[in-house]
Amino acid sequence: MKWMKRFAGAVTMAAACILTATTILADDYPSRPIRLLHGFAAGGAADTMSRIVAEGLARKLGQPVIVEAKPGAGGNIAADAIAKATPDGYTIGLVTGAHAISAAIYKSLSFQPVESFGMISTLAYYGLVIAVRDDHPAKSMADLIAMARQKPGGLSFGSVGFGSTHHLAGELLNARAGIDLLHVPYRGDSQSTTALLGGDVPVIIGTPVLLAPQIQSGAVRGLAVTSSTRIPLLPNVPLAEEAGVKGYDVRTWAGLLVPKGTPPVLIARLNAATLEVLSDPNVRKQLETAVGGEVRGSSPEEMKALVAAEIAKWSDVVERAKIPRI
């Protein structure tokens, strides 16, 4: 009986110590700068969003949040670095819809898109833009589709990288429109836009934040947006579905995550800070301007469910479009 009482007392004391340690951890966090990694080139939508959110988090958390780009492999290089980082709350990552696509298009990854991470919150949802240079003979999406049908494999499209949402948006366009545009991967929005302007590739699927100034200046023609609703940043660019591509709707998203094993109390702290940042009208306006989409935060559980659902969705697209897995 005495042994049982001593054991119960020890368990109670241990639980109290854990609770105290957890409280101290939360109270002290953060005590030094935080790294925010993303997997795309500087100047693109992911980089722009990262810097806006980093600035807001720095204000809320009282420590600098330093943005670090690790571009390549559709965001997988950065995701791998995040997954392998020390789970202490001092490395967080911004991922996009490409994070879920990786599970669908790669036979194997060095990380698990859901299980290797702790989710913090979603940030925004936005469509993409199918664009050509202003001197391109295609004046509309219907023109481009007609040209592509006349020359199967004779036209190419650029994207921000293999395995990105931009890439699969093009592959899905091939499947839905019955055409065969060849994919040319670049390392981020800036490079694909530069390639379009330089005549290295005739078509790109890009992010509104970079293409809007080029479209507004007349250097680039936006043929269609990939979403089911028009983009506020480009209200005059029609939907791909309006050009006869039935059932075509591609939107990407962005969210924050941390390495698996990060203490739940720190995830809760980061989630609360992120939602506070997203509730700021100035931040919302900056993000909406940056991506031309909808700002929307979430709970960690909601973001986890989103990633799992997106993996299922894109796995089905890859299978139906007969896209070879690598």
Side-chain angles (χ1 to χ4, degrees):
M1 193 69 174
K2 289 181 179 180
W3 178 85
M4 292 181 67
K5 288 181 179 180
R6 288 175 182 172
F7 179 75
V11 170
T12 301
M13 185 176 293
C17 289
I18 292 171
L19 181 61
T20 301
T22 299
T23 302
I24 292 172
L25 179 65
D27 289 343
D28 288 348
Y29 175 82
S31 59
R32 64 177 190 271
I34 297 170
R35 290 194 309 160
L36 195 166
L37 307 183
H38 71 78
F40 299 93
D47 187 59
T48 301
M49 284 188 289
S50 294
R51 295 184 188 283
I52 293 169
V53 172
E55 184 179 341
L57 287 176
R59 290 195 302 269
K60 298 295 180 182
L61 298 173
Q63 287 288 343
V65 179
I66 301 166
V67 175
E68 183 179 337
K70 288 183 174 293
N76 290 339
I77 293 174
D80 179 68
I82 297 161
K84 292 177 179 175
T86 303
D88 57 6
Y90 290 96
T91 298
I92 64 178
L94 182 144
V95 295
T96 68
H99 184 73
I101 287 174
S102 292
I105 206 165
Y106 285 88
K107 293 179 181 177
S108 64
L109 292 166
S110 59
F111 58 88
Q112 294 297 320
V114 176
E115 300 304 326
S116 295
F117 304 93
M119 308 300 169
I120 298 174
S121 172
T122 56
L123 300 173
Y125 296 78
Y126 54 100
L128 305 172
V129 185
I130 302 167
V132 296
R133 210 165 66 170
D134 187 57
D135 59 0
H136 193 278
K139 304 301 181 184
S140 67
M141 191 67 201
D143 288 346
L144 182 67
I145 291 171
M147 291 175 60
R149 286 174 177 167
Q150 290 174 0
K151 299 179 180 180
L155 291 177
S156 58
F157 76 96
S159 83
V160 301
F162 184 87
S164 63
T165 307
H166 305 59
H167 170 203
L168 281 206
E171 298 291 359
L172 185 59
L173 177 65
N174 281 339
R176 290 282 190 271
I179 57 178
D180 184 21
L181 298 176
L182 298 179
H183 178 232
V184 180
Y186 290 92
R187 291 173 65 87
D189 277 299
S190 296
Q191 287 194 15
S192 63
T193 302
T194 299
L196 178 69
L197 293 172
D200 296 326
V201 65
V203 184
I204 67 168
I205 297 180
T207 310
V209 60
L210 279 206
L211 287 177
Q214 303 294 343
I215 292 172
Q216 290 160 1
S217 73
V220 168
R221 181 182 302 113
L223 298 181
V225 296
T226 65
S227 53
S228 59
T229 57
R230 293 202 180 195
I231 295 174
L233 200 59
L234 297 167
N236 296 322
V237 179
L239 310 180
E241 191 162 29
E242 292 174 326
V245 188
K246 299 301 181 184
Y248 186 76
D249 179 12
V250 178
R251 283 166 287 184
T252 190
W253 51 270
L256 297 178
L257 43 64
V258 288
K260 178 182 179 180
T262 300
V265 66
L266 300 188
I267 292 177
R269 178 90 170 89
L270 288 166
N271 174 263
T274 300
L275 295 181
E276 288 179 18
V277 169
L278 296 181
S279 69
D280 184 317
N282 291 328
V283 172
R284 293 182 70 86
K285 184 176 180 180
Q286 284 181 296
L287 288 172
E288 287 170 355
T289 300
V291 301
E294 174 191 4
V295 173
R296 191 194 311 169
S298 73
S299 68
E301 294 76 20
E302 287 169 336
M303 181 173 170
K304 183 176 181 179
L306 167 70
V307 177
E310 285 282 287
I311 289 172
K313 167 188 171 181
W314 287 116
S315 294
D316 183 63
V317 169
V318 167
E319 182 177 352
R320 289 177 180 272
K322 298 181 180 179
I323 301 169
R325 299 184 73 200
I326 61 169

